Amino acid sequence: MGTPEFLRDEDDQLPADDRAIVETARAFARDHIAPAAAIWELDRRMPVETLRAAAAAGLCGLFVPRDLGGQGAGRRAVARVLEELSGECMAFAFSLVVHNNLAGNIAINGSDEQKGRYLPPMLAGERIGAFLLTEPGAGSDAAGITTRASRDGDTWVVDGDKAWVSNGTEADILSVYAQTDAAKGWRGIATFLIEAEQPGVIREATYSMMGAHVLGVGGFRFEDVRVADDAVLLPPGEGFKGAMAGIDLARANVAAMCCGIMANSLDVALAYCAGRQAFGQRLADFQGLQWQLADVATDLHASRLMAYDAIAVIDAGGPAAIPAAHAKKFATRAAQKGVA
């Protein structure tokens, strides 16, 4: 994927370590993703081996501080990493950031025991993380989840269903959002770290989708799953707030990933139009095609500005729900229109 002057200027403003991780991502996309992405989709599989290669390249601990073995990268740098990876396969980039988000969450909010238990294998790509919020009957209304966690002596008992789980086919470490007290509404929601091999955890069949099978999307069912207090990552009341904050960043990152798709598609289209001739001239010389390509370039620039503006608001600690939603809405529509 070509890097325009606008992004080169942006990258120059990043700290040296963050610039290095963006360069690593660019090379990883070229060497590991580009040659295999189409094959992954044809095979309808999640490429665990490439996730492990990403871990070896340092791309599985982007949000984890350096003293815990990660990169300690800033949010802007992570968005740039995702943009570079998405230029070759957005589904892979999405899978990777889901894993990174959980590792970062554990690094920030986890107990020392949780950090020691989960971070080393996650940073090595040996165990894969997933985010379990959405349910068959609760999507955008996250406060309406019905998966419940009930007290039974000194343990929690988790029951319920989760749907549309990215990394679901391969995930080992599950970040599960469950209601501990329905009378408290969102204040009763807590976050539990549950291992996929625990008794009562049932991995549902992989979803058959129109595309993006690299994401390994599936579901989970929890039947009388018993965990101790040391499985609580975020206590009741904090779980919902953590999920919402994560969703704001996820929306901004999706916008950045859409920019990667548009940038690569534009590069391919420009090269094709410059090399193909019709009616005695290059396709690139037809004014109608020039207008269409210019529209994509304009939408790409606008999408980038909105995506990185939303991330700047998050970095500043401001209310990011609206700018992040605007960025995601605009960039996804622009990518769908521009690539088509």
Side-chain angles (χ1 to χ4, degrees), residues 20-37 40 47-60 81 84-86 88-89 92-93 96:
I21 200 66
V22 173
E23 289 294 335
T24 295
R26 185 177 297 122
F28 189 87
R30 180 191 65 233
D31 298 338
H32 292 269
I33 302 177
W40 298 335
V48 176
E49 73 284 356
T50 309
L51 277 173
R52 290 184 178 136
L59 297 175
C60 279
V81 165
E84 293 293 339
L85 300 179
S86 294
E88 302 299 344
C89 182
F92 181 85
L96 189 70

PDB file of all heavy atoms in Angstrom, residues 20-37 40 47-60 81 84-86 88-89 92-93 96:
ATOM      1  N   ALA A  20       8.447   2.895  14.379  1.00  0.00           N
ATOM      2  CA  ALA A  20       9.040   1.590  14.076  1.00  0.00           C
ATOM      3  C   ALA A  20       7.968   0.508  13.993  1.00  0.00           C
ATOM      4  O   ALA A  20       8.030  -0.365  13.118  1.00  0.00           O
ATOM      5  CB  ALA A  20      10.080   1.229  15.131  1.00  0.00           C
ATOM      6  N   ILE A  21       6.977   0.543  14.879  1.00  0.00           N
ATOM      7  CA  ILE A  21       5.946  -0.494  14.848  1.00  0.00           C
ATOM      8  C   ILE A  21       5.049  -0.329  13.633  1.00  0.00           C
ATOM      9  O   ILE A  21       4.553  -1.308  13.061  1.00  0.00           O
ATOM     10  CB  ILE A  21       5.143  -0.528  16.165  1.00  0.00           C
ATOM     11  CG1 ILE A  21       4.439  -1.882  16.330  1.00  0.00           C
ATOM     12  CG2 ILE A  21       4.132   0.592  16.243  1.00  0.00           C
ATOM     13  CD1 ILE A  21       5.347  -3.043  16.499  1.00  0.00           C
ATOM     14  N   VAL A  22       4.830   0.908  13.168  1.00  0.00           N
ATOM     15  CA  VAL A  22       4.076   1.122  11.934  1.00  0.00           C
ATOM     16  C   VAL A  22       4.844   0.543  10.748  1.00  0.00           C
ATOM     17  O   VAL A  22       4.264  -0.100   9.859  1.00  0.00           O
ATOM     18  CB  VAL A  22       3.769   2.623  11.724  1.00  0.00           C
ATOM     19  CG1 VAL A  22       3.133   2.855  10.356  1.00  0.00           C
ATOM     20  CG2 VAL A  22       2.837   3.136  12.826  1.00  0.00           C
ATOM     21  N   GLU A  23       6.154   0.769  10.724  1.00  0.00           N
ATOM     22  CA  GLU A  23       6.983   0.197   9.651  1.00  0.00           C
ATOM     23  C   GLU A  23       6.956  -1.326   9.694  1.00  0.00           C
ATOM     24  O   GLU A  23       6.899  -1.994   8.659  1.00  0.00           O
ATOM     25  CB  GLU A  23       8.420   0.702   9.779  1.00  0.00           C
ATOM     26  CG  GLU A  23       8.603   2.170   9.431  1.00  0.00           C
ATOM     27  CD  GLU A  23       8.334   2.452   7.958  1.00  0.00           C
ATOM     28  OE1 GLU A  23       8.472   1.522   7.129  1.00  0.00           O
ATOM     29  OE2 GLU A  23       7.972   3.599   7.637  1.00  0.00           O
ATOM     30  N   THR A  24       6.971  -1.880  10.900  1.00  0.00           N
ATOM     31  CA  THR A  24       6.883  -3.342  11.041  1.00  0.00           C
ATOM     32  C   THR A  24       5.570  -3.850  10.469  1.00  0.00           C
ATOM     33  O   THR A  24       5.531  -4.872   9.762  1.00  0.00           O
ATOM     34  CB  THR A  24       6.998  -3.738  12.520  1.00  0.00           C
ATOM     35  OG1 THR A  24       8.296  -3.386  13.004  1.00  0.00           O
ATOM     36  CG2 THR A  24       6.782  -5.236  12.707  1.00  0.00           C
ATOM     37  N   ALA A  25       4.488  -3.141  10.761  1.00  0.00           N
ATOM     38  CA  ALA A  25       3.175  -3.545  10.252  1.00  0.00           C
ATOM     39  C   ALA A  25       3.123  -3.471   8.733  1.00  0.00           C
ATOM     40  O   ALA A  25       2.541  -4.343   8.074  1.00  0.00           O
ATOM     41  CB  ALA A  25       2.087  -2.656  10.861  1.00  0.00           C
ATOM     42  N   ARG A  26       3.728  -2.438   8.178  1.00  0.00           N
ATOM     43  CA  ARG A  26       3.731  -2.297   6.713  1.00  0.00           C
ATOM     44  C   ARG A  26       4.465  -3.475   6.066  1.00  0.00           C
ATOM     45  O   ARG A  26       3.979  -4.070   5.092  1.00  0.00           O
ATOM     46  CB  ARG A  26       4.386  -0.972   6.324  1.00  0.00           C
ATOM     47  CG  ARG A  26       4.334  -0.658   4.833  1.00  0.00           C
ATOM     48  CD  ARG A  26       4.933   0.705   4.537  1.00  0.00           C
ATOM     49  NE  ARG A  26       4.163   1.758   5.178  1.00  0.00           N
ATOM     50  CZ  ARG A  26       4.655   2.637   6.061  1.00  0.00           C
ATOM     51  NH1 ARG A  26       5.932   2.595   6.406  1.00  0.00           N
ATOM     52  NH2 ARG A  26       3.881   3.572   6.582  1.00  0.00           N
ATOM     53  N   ALA A  27       5.606  -3.839   6.626  1.00  0.00           N
ATOM     54  CA  ALA A  27       6.366  -4.965   6.084  1.00  0.00           C
ATOM     55  C   ALA A  27       5.624  -6.285   6.312  1.00  0.00           C
ATOM     56  O   ALA A  27       5.623  -7.164   5.434  1.00  0.00           O
ATOM     57  CB  ALA A  27       7.747  -5.018   6.741  1.00  0.00           C
ATOM     58  N   PHE A  28       4.983  -6.430   7.464  1.00  0.00           N
ATOM     59  CA  PHE A  28       4.240  -7.649   7.754  1.00  0.00           C
ATOM     60  C   PHE A  28       3.086  -7.813   6.774  1.00  0.00           C
ATOM     61  O   PHE A  28       2.827  -8.923   6.275  1.00  0.00           O
ATOM     62  CB  PHE A  28       3.717  -7.621   9.190  1.00  0.00           C
ATOM     63  CG  PHE A  28       3.120  -8.922   9.642  1.00  0.00           C
ATOM     64  CD1 PHE A  28       3.905  -9.906  10.200  1.00  0.00           C
ATOM     65  CD2 PHE A  28       1.763  -9.175   9.481  1.00  0.00           C
ATOM     66  CE1 PHE A  28       3.364 -11.121  10.604  1.00  0.00           C
ATOM     67  CE2 PHE A  28       1.208 -10.377   9.872  1.00  0.00           C
ATOM     68  CZ  PHE A  28       2.017 -11.357  10.438  1.00  0.00           C
ATOM     69  N   ALA A  29       2.392  -6.727   6.492  1.00  0.00           N
ATOM     70  CA  ALA A  29       1.280  -6.787   5.537  1.00  0.00           C
ATOM     71  C   ALA A  29       1.769  -7.229   4.164  1.00  0.00           C
ATOM     72  O   ALA A  29       1.131  -8.051   3.492  1.00  0.00           O
ATOM     73  CB  ALA A  29       0.595  -5.430   5.455  1.00  0.00           C
ATOM     74  N   ARG A  30       2.899  -6.701   3.760  1.00  0.00           N
ATOM     75  CA  ARG A  30       3.455  -7.039   2.445  1.00  0.00           C
ATOM     76  C   ARG A  30       3.923  -8.482   2.383  1.00  0.00           C
ATOM     77  O   ARG A  30       3.651  -9.195   1.408  1.00  0.00           O
ATOM     78  CB  ARG A  30       4.627  -6.098   2.151  1.00  0.00           C
ATOM     79  CG  ARG A  30       5.302  -6.327   0.800  1.00  0.00           C
ATOM     80  CD  ARG A  30       6.597  -5.548   0.705  1.00  0.00           C
ATOM     81  NE  ARG A  30       7.589  -6.015   1.674  1.00  0.00           N
ATOM     82  CZ  ARG A  30       8.215  -5.209   2.542  1.00  0.00           C
ATOM     83  NH1 ARG A  30       7.956  -3.914   2.579  1.00  0.00           N
ATOM     84  NH2 ARG A  30       9.110  -5.715   3.392  1.00  0.00           N
ATOM     85  N   ASP A  31       4.605  -8.942   3.422  1.00  0.00           N
ATOM     86  CA  ASP A  31       5.270 -10.244   3.373  1.00  0.00           C
ATOM     87  C   ASP A  31       4.398 -11.417   3.821  1.00  0.00           C
ATOM     88  O   ASP A  31       4.554 -12.532   3.326  1.00  0.00           O
ATOM     89  CB  ASP A  31       6.532 -10.208   4.241  1.00  0.00           C
ATOM     90  CG  ASP A  31       7.545  -9.189   3.751  1.00  0.00           C
ATOM     91  OD1 ASP A  31       7.484  -8.824   2.553  1.00  0.00           O
ATOM     92  OD2 ASP A  31       8.383  -8.753   4.558  1.00  0.00           O
ATOM     93  N   HIS A  32       3.488 -11.162   4.757  1.00  0.00           N
ATOM     94  CA  HIS A  32       2.725 -12.267   5.342  1.00  0.00           C
ATOM     95  C   HIS A  32       1.249 -12.276   4.955  1.00  0.00           C
ATOM     96  O   HIS A  32       0.650 -13.354   4.860  1.00  0.00           O
ATOM     97  CB  HIS A  32       2.824 -12.217   6.871  1.00  0.00           C
ATOM     98  CG  HIS A  32       4.188 -12.512   7.409  1.00  0.00           C
ATOM     99  ND1 HIS A  32       4.608 -13.776   7.744  1.00  0.00           N
ATOM    100  CD2 HIS A  32       5.237 -11.687   7.672  1.00  0.00           C
ATOM    101  CE1 HIS A  32       5.845 -13.730   8.182  1.00  0.00           C
ATOM    102  NE2 HIS A  32       6.259 -12.478   8.150  1.00  0.00           N
ATOM    103  N   ILE A  33       0.662 -11.096   4.763  1.00  0.00           N
ATOM    104  CA  ILE A  33      -0.778 -11.039   4.515  1.00  0.00           C
ATOM    105  C   ILE A  33      -1.092 -11.036   3.021  1.00  0.00           C
ATOM    106  O   ILE A  33      -1.919 -11.827   2.560  1.00  0.00           O
ATOM    107  CB  ILE A  33      -1.406  -9.809   5.196  1.00  0.00           C
ATOM    108  CG1 ILE A  33      -1.138  -9.847   6.701  1.00  0.00           C
ATOM    109  CG2 ILE A  33      -2.909  -9.758   4.922  1.00  0.00           C
ATOM    110  CD1 ILE A  33      -1.667  -8.639   7.455  1.00  0.00           C
ATOM    111  N   ALA A  34      -0.428 -10.171   2.284  1.00  0.00           N
ATOM    112  CA  ALA A  34      -0.735 -10.031   0.852  1.00  0.00           C
ATOM    113  C   ALA A  34      -0.660 -11.358   0.090  1.00  0.00           C
ATOM    114  O   ALA A  34      -1.560 -11.663  -0.708  1.00  0.00           O
ATOM    115  CB  ALA A  34       0.191  -8.993   0.220  1.00  0.00           C
ATOM    116  N   PRO A  35       0.354 -12.192   0.315  1.00  0.00           N
ATOM    117  CA  PRO A  35       0.422 -13.436  -0.469  1.00  0.00           C
ATOM    118  C   PRO A  35      -0.643 -14.468  -0.109  1.00  0.00           C
ATOM    119  O   PRO A  35      -0.881 -15.398  -0.879  1.00  0.00           O
ATOM    120  CB  PRO A  35       1.823 -13.979  -0.135  1.00  0.00           C
ATOM    121  CG  PRO A  35       2.579 -12.845   0.472  1.00  0.00           C
ATOM    122  CD  PRO A  35       1.557 -12.022   1.161  1.00  0.00           C
ATOM    123  N   ALA A  36      -1.274 -14.326   1.065  1.00  0.00           N
ATOM    124  CA  ALA A  36      -2.129 -15.413   1.551  1.00  0.00           C
ATOM    125  C   ALA A  36      -3.583 -15.042   1.779  1.00  0.00           C
ATOM    126  O   ALA A  36      -4.428 -15.923   1.947  1.00  0.00           O
ATOM    127  CB  ALA A  36      -1.558 -15.956   2.870  1.00  0.00           C
ATOM    128  N   ALA A  37      -3.926 -13.755   1.782  1.00  0.00           N
ATOM    129  CA  ALA A  37      -5.267 -13.329   2.184  1.00  0.00           C
ATOM    130  C   ALA A  37      -6.367 -13.967   1.344  1.00  0.00           C
ATOM    131  O   ALA A  37      -7.387 -14.425   1.878  1.00  0.00           O
ATOM    132  CB  ALA A  37      -5.365 -11.803   2.123  1.00  0.00           C
ATOM    133  N   TRP A  40      -6.843 -17.615   2.339  1.00  0.00           N
ATOM    134  CA  TRP A  40      -7.569 -17.756   3.605  1.00  0.00           C
ATOM    135  C   TRP A  40      -9.078 -17.678   3.372  1.00  0.00           C
ATOM    136  O   TRP A  40      -9.840 -18.469   3.907  1.00  0.00           O
ATOM    137  CB  TRP A  40      -7.174 -16.665   4.585  1.00  0.00           C
ATOM    138  CG  TRP A  40      -5.749 -16.645   5.014  1.00  0.00           C
ATOM    139  CD1 TRP A  40      -4.876 -17.701   5.044  1.00  0.00           C
ATOM    140  CD2 TRP A  40      -5.014 -15.502   5.474  1.00  0.00           C
ATOM    141  NE1 TRP A  40      -3.655 -17.293   5.495  1.00  0.00           N
ATOM    142  CE2 TRP A  40      -3.693 -15.953   5.769  1.00  0.00           C
ATOM    143  CE3 TRP A  40      -5.327 -14.160   5.669  1.00  0.00           C
ATOM    144  CZ2 TRP A  40      -2.718 -15.084   6.254  1.00  0.00           C
ATOM    145  CZ3 TRP A  40      -4.358 -13.300   6.154  1.00  0.00           C
ATOM    146  CH2 TRP A  40      -3.065 -13.764   6.437  1.00  0.00           C
ATOM    147  N   PRO A  47      -6.423 -17.797  10.056  1.00  0.00           N
ATOM    148  CA  PRO A  47      -5.024 -18.203   9.959  1.00  0.00           C
ATOM    149  C   PRO A  47      -4.264 -18.023  11.275  1.00  0.00           C
ATOM    150  O   PRO A  47      -3.543 -17.048  11.482  1.00  0.00           O
ATOM    151  CB  PRO A  47      -4.475 -17.286   8.866  1.00  0.00           C
ATOM    152  CG  PRO A  47      -5.279 -16.036   9.022  1.00  0.00           C
ATOM    153  CD  PRO A  47      -6.649 -16.465   9.452  1.00  0.00           C
ATOM    154  N   VAL A  48      -4.393 -18.995  12.149  1.00  0.00           N
ATOM    155  CA  VAL A  48      -3.753 -18.913  13.465  1.00  0.00           C
ATOM    156  C   VAL A  48      -2.239 -18.793  13.316  1.00  0.00           C
ATOM    157  O   VAL A  48      -1.576 -18.071  14.082  1.00  0.00           O
ATOM    158  CB  VAL A  48      -4.127 -20.138  14.308  1.00  0.00           C
ATOM    159  CG1 VAL A  48      -3.397 -20.114  15.645  1.00  0.00           C
ATOM    160  CG2 VAL A  48      -5.630 -20.183  14.542  1.00  0.00           C
ATOM    161  N   GLU A  49      -1.686 -19.473  12.325  1.00  0.00           N
ATOM    162  CA  GLU A  49      -0.233 -19.439  12.151  1.00  0.00           C
ATOM    163  C   GLU A  49       0.260 -18.022  11.839  1.00  0.00           C
ATOM    164  O   GLU A  49       1.363 -17.625  12.242  1.00  0.00           O
ATOM    165  CB  GLU A  49       0.201 -20.420  11.059  1.00  0.00           C
ATOM    166  CG  GLU A  49      -0.116 -20.017   9.628  1.00  0.00           C
ATOM    167  CD  GLU A  49      -1.591 -20.183   9.227  1.00  0.00           C
ATOM    168  OE1 GLU A  49      -2.377 -20.688  10.048  1.00  0.00           O
ATOM    169  OE2 GLU A  49      -1.930 -19.805   8.095  1.00  0.00           O
ATOM    170  N   THR A  50      -0.567 -17.236  11.145  1.00  0.00           N
ATOM    171  CA  THR A  50      -0.161 -15.865  10.824  1.00  0.00           C
ATOM    172  C   THR A  50      -0.340 -14.952  12.024  1.00  0.00           C
ATOM    173  O   THR A  50       0.422 -13.991  12.209  1.00  0.00           O
ATOM    174  CB  THR A  50      -0.942 -15.351   9.609  1.00  0.00           C
ATOM    175  OG1 THR A  50      -0.847 -16.307   8.554  1.00  0.00           O
ATOM    176  CG2 THR A  50      -0.382 -14.029   9.108  1.00  0.00           C
ATOM    177  N   LEU A  51      -1.322 -15.229  12.862  1.00  0.00           N
ATOM    178  CA  LEU A  51      -1.435 -14.496  14.125  1.00  0.00           C
ATOM    179  C   LEU A  51      -0.186 -14.727  14.980  1.00  0.00           C
ATOM    180  O   LEU A  51       0.324 -13.805  15.633  1.00  0.00           O
ATOM    181  CB  LEU A  51      -2.680 -14.936  14.884  1.00  0.00           C
ATOM    182  CG  LEU A  51      -4.009 -14.274  14.481  1.00  0.00           C
ATOM    183  CD1 LEU A  51      -5.169 -14.952  15.201  1.00  0.00           C
ATOM    184  CD2 LEU A  51      -3.980 -12.784  14.796  1.00  0.00           C
ATOM    185  N   ARG A  52       0.307 -15.954  14.965  1.00  0.00           N
ATOM    186  CA  ARG A  52       1.517 -16.243  15.742  1.00  0.00           C
ATOM    187  C   ARG A  52       2.734 -15.551  15.129  1.00  0.00           C
ATOM    188  O   ARG A  52       3.632 -15.097  15.851  1.00  0.00           O
ATOM    189  CB  ARG A  52       1.720 -17.753  15.837  1.00  0.00           C
ATOM    190  CG  ARG A  52       0.657 -18.393  16.728  1.00  0.00           C
ATOM    191  CD  ARG A  52       0.849 -19.866  16.940  1.00  0.00           C
ATOM    192  NE  ARG A  52      -0.201 -20.369  17.837  1.00  0.00           N
ATOM    193  CZ  ARG A  52      -0.884 -21.479  17.661  1.00  0.00           C
ATOM    194  NH1 ARG A  52      -0.616 -22.249  16.608  1.00  0.00           N
ATOM    195  NH2 ARG A  52      -1.814 -21.858  18.519  1.00  0.00           N
ATOM    196  N   ALA A  53       2.743 -15.460  13.808  1.00  0.00           N
ATOM    197  CA  ALA A  53       3.824 -14.707  13.161  1.00  0.00           C
ATOM    198  C   ALA A  53       3.739 -13.232  13.527  1.00  0.00           C
ATOM    199  O   ALA A  53       4.762 -12.558  13.717  1.00  0.00           O
ATOM    200  CB  ALA A  53       3.749 -14.892  11.642  1.00  0.00           C
ATOM    201  N   ALA A  54       2.517 -12.723  13.631  1.00  0.00           N
ATOM    202  CA  ALA A  54       2.329 -11.337  14.058  1.00  0.00           C
ATOM    203  C   ALA A  54       2.841 -11.144  15.480  1.00  0.00           C
ATOM    204  O   ALA A  54       3.439 -10.104  15.807  1.00  0.00           O
ATOM    205  CB  ALA A  54       0.855 -10.955  13.958  1.00  0.00           C
ATOM    206  N   ALA A  55       2.609 -12.138  16.334  1.00  0.00           N
ATOM    207  CA  ALA A  55       3.123 -12.065  17.702  1.00  0.00           C
ATOM    208  C   ALA A  55       4.646 -12.005  17.698  1.00  0.00           C
ATOM    209  O   ALA A  55       5.258 -11.213  18.432  1.00  0.00           O
ATOM    210  CB  ALA A  55       2.638 -13.267  18.507  1.00  0.00           C
ATOM    211  N   ALA A  56       5.267 -12.823  16.858  1.00  0.00           N
ATOM    212  CA  ALA A  56       6.731 -12.826  16.769  1.00  0.00           C
ATOM    213  C   ALA A  56       7.267 -11.485  16.295  1.00  0.00           C
ATOM    214  O   ALA A  56       8.385 -11.092  16.641  1.00  0.00           O
ATOM    215  CB  ALA A  56       7.192 -13.948  15.837  1.00  0.00           C
ATOM    216  N   ALA A  57       6.441 -10.768  15.509  1.00  0.00           N
ATOM    217  CA  ALA A  57       6.846  -9.448  15.012  1.00  0.00           C
ATOM    218  C   ALA A  57       6.530  -8.340  16.011  1.00  0.00           C
ATOM    219  O   ALA A  57       6.806  -7.167  15.745  1.00  0.00           O
ATOM    220  CB  ALA A  57       6.148  -9.162  13.685  1.00  0.00           C
ATOM    221  N   GLY A  58       5.934  -8.693  17.143  1.00  0.00           N
ATOM    222  CA  GLY A  58       5.615  -7.696  18.156  1.00  0.00           C
ATOM    223  C   GLY A  58       4.271  -7.028  17.976  1.00  0.00           C
ATOM    224  O   GLY A  58       4.017  -5.977  18.566  1.00  0.00           O
ATOM    225  N   LEU A  59       3.381  -7.646  17.195  1.00  0.00           N
ATOM    226  CA  LEU A  59       2.098  -7.023  16.887  1.00  0.00           C
ATOM    227  C   LEU A  59       0.951  -7.546  17.743  1.00  0.00           C
ATOM    228  O   LEU A  59      -0.206  -7.219  17.472  1.00  0.00           O
ATOM    229  CB  LEU A  59       1.768  -7.227  15.403  1.00  0.00           C
ATOM    230  CG  LEU A  59       2.738  -6.583  14.411  1.00  0.00           C
ATOM    231  CD1 LEU A  59       2.369  -6.972  12.976  1.00  0.00           C
ATOM    232  CD2 LEU A  59       2.750  -5.065  14.563  1.00  0.00           C
ATOM    233  N   CYS A  60       1.253  -8.341  18.768  1.00  0.00           N
ATOM    234  CA  CYS A  60       0.188  -8.871  19.621  1.00  0.00           C
ATOM    235  C   CYS A  60       0.159  -8.235  21.008  1.00  0.00           C
ATOM    236  O   CYS A  60      -0.622  -8.667  21.860  1.00  0.00           O
ATOM    237  CB  CYS A  60       0.309 -10.390  19.747  1.00  0.00           C
ATOM    238  SG  CYS A  60      -0.403 -11.257  18.325  1.00  0.00           S
ATOM    239  N   VAL A  81      -1.149   1.137  12.403  1.00  0.00           N
ATOM    240  CA  VAL A  81      -0.847  -0.280  12.206  1.00  0.00           C
ATOM    241  C   VAL A  81      -2.026  -0.976  11.542  1.00  0.00           C
ATOM    242  O   VAL A  81      -1.876  -1.724  10.557  1.00  0.00           O
ATOM    243  CB  VAL A  81      -0.510  -0.955  13.551  1.00  0.00           C
ATOM    244  CG1 VAL A  81      -0.560  -2.484  13.427  1.00  0.00           C
ATOM    245  CG2 VAL A  81       0.858  -0.511  14.043  1.00  0.00           C
ATOM    246  N   GLU A  84      -2.439  -0.071   7.865  1.00  0.00           N
ATOM    247  CA  GLU A  84      -1.479  -0.760   6.998  1.00  0.00           C
ATOM    248  C   GLU A  84      -1.887  -2.219   6.778  1.00  0.00           C
ATOM    249  O   GLU A  84      -1.854  -2.723   5.655  1.00  0.00           O
ATOM    250  CB  GLU A  84      -0.077  -0.694   7.614  1.00  0.00           C
ATOM    251  CG  GLU A  84       0.528   0.700   7.661  1.00  0.00           C
ATOM    252  CD  GLU A  84       0.843   1.261   6.288  1.00  0.00           C
ATOM    253  OE1 GLU A  84       0.968   0.469   5.332  1.00  0.00           O
ATOM    254  OE2 GLU A  84       0.981   2.497   6.177  1.00  0.00           O
ATOM    255  N   LEU A  85      -2.284  -2.918   7.847  1.00  0.00           N
ATOM    256  CA  LEU A  85      -2.675  -4.321   7.726  1.00  0.00           C
ATOM    257  C   LEU A  85      -3.954  -4.475   6.905  1.00  0.00           C
ATOM    258  O   LEU A  85      -4.089  -5.408   6.109  1.00  0.00           O
ATOM    259  CB  LEU A  85      -2.866  -4.937   9.107  1.00  0.00           C
ATOM    260  CG  LEU A  85      -1.651  -4.949  10.046  1.00  0.00           C
ATOM    261  CD1 LEU A  85      -2.019  -5.583  11.382  1.00  0.00           C
ATOM    262  CD2 LEU A  85      -0.474  -5.679   9.415  1.00  0.00           C
ATOM    263  N   SER A  86      -4.892  -3.545   7.084  1.00  0.00           N
ATOM    264  CA  SER A  86      -6.180  -3.644   6.392  1.00  0.00           C
ATOM    265  C   SER A  86      -6.052  -3.407   4.900  1.00  0.00           C
ATOM    266  O   SER A  86      -6.928  -3.822   4.138  1.00  0.00           O
ATOM    267  CB  SER A  86      -7.173  -2.636   6.991  1.00  0.00           C
ATOM    268  OG  SER A  86      -7.477  -2.961   8.323  1.00  0.00           O
ATOM    269  N   GLU A  88      -4.259  -4.948   3.074  1.00  0.00           N
ATOM    270  CA  GLU A  88      -4.166  -6.283   2.489  1.00  0.00           C
ATOM    271  C   GLU A  88      -5.293  -7.206   2.950  1.00  0.00           C
ATOM    272  O   GLU A  88      -5.735  -8.056   2.183  1.00  0.00           O
ATOM    273  CB  GLU A  88      -2.810  -6.905   2.821  1.00  0.00           C
ATOM    274  CG  GLU A  88      -1.617  -6.095   2.338  1.00  0.00           C
ATOM    275  CD  GLU A  88      -1.581  -5.908   0.819  1.00  0.00           C
ATOM    276  OE1 GLU A  88      -2.291  -6.647   0.090  1.00  0.00           O
ATOM    277  OE2 GLU A  88      -0.852  -5.006   0.362  1.00  0.00           O
ATOM    278  N   CYS A  89      -5.776  -7.041   4.191  1.00  0.00           N
ATOM    279  CA  CYS A  89      -6.889  -7.878   4.668  1.00  0.00           C
ATOM    280  C   CYS A  89      -7.460  -7.262   5.941  1.00  0.00           C
ATOM    281  O   CYS A  89      -6.881  -7.396   7.019  1.00  0.00           O
ATOM    282  CB  CYS A  89      -6.434  -9.309   4.932  1.00  0.00           C
ATOM    283  SG  CYS A  89      -7.786 -10.400   5.478  1.00  0.00           S
ATOM    284  N   PHE A  92      -8.218  -9.784   8.843  1.00  0.00           N
ATOM    285  CA  PHE A  92      -7.077 -10.160   9.669  1.00  0.00           C
ATOM    286  C   PHE A  92      -6.751  -9.050  10.655  1.00  0.00           C
ATOM    287  O   PHE A  92      -6.475  -9.316  11.841  1.00  0.00           O
ATOM    288  CB  PHE A  92      -5.855 -10.471   8.813  1.00  0.00           C
ATOM    289  CG  PHE A  92      -4.655 -10.891   9.625  1.00  0.00           C
ATOM    290  CD1 PHE A  92      -4.490 -12.212  10.005  1.00  0.00           C
ATOM    291  CD2 PHE A  92      -3.719  -9.961  10.040  1.00  0.00           C
ATOM    292  CE1 PHE A  92      -3.406 -12.590  10.789  1.00  0.00           C
ATOM    293  CE2 PHE A  92      -2.637 -10.332  10.815  1.00  0.00           C
ATOM    294  CZ  PHE A  92      -2.477 -11.653  11.187  1.00  0.00           C
ATOM    295  N   ALA A  93      -6.775  -7.798  10.191  1.00  0.00           N
ATOM    296  CA  ALA A  93      -6.483  -6.676  11.079  1.00  0.00           C
ATOM    297  C   ALA A  93      -7.485  -6.623  12.226  1.00  0.00           C
ATOM    298  O   ALA A  93      -7.125  -6.366  13.379  1.00  0.00           O
ATOM    299  CB  ALA A  93      -6.504  -5.372  10.289  1.00  0.00           C
ATOM    300  N   LEU A  96      -6.779  -9.315  14.738  1.00  0.00           N
ATOM    301  CA  LEU A  96      -5.590  -8.978  15.527  1.00  0.00           C
ATOM    302  C   LEU A  96      -5.902  -7.931  16.582  1.00  0.00           C
ATOM    303  O   LEU A  96      -5.442  -8.020  17.723  1.00  0.00           O
ATOM    304  CB  LEU A  96      -4.483  -8.486  14.601  1.00  0.00           C
ATOM    305  CG  LEU A  96      -3.108  -8.287  15.249  1.00  0.00           C
ATOM    306  CD1 LEU A  96      -2.496  -9.638  15.620  1.00  0.00           C
ATOM    307  CD2 LEU A  96      -2.176  -7.528  14.317  1.00  0.00           C
TER     308      LEU A  96
END
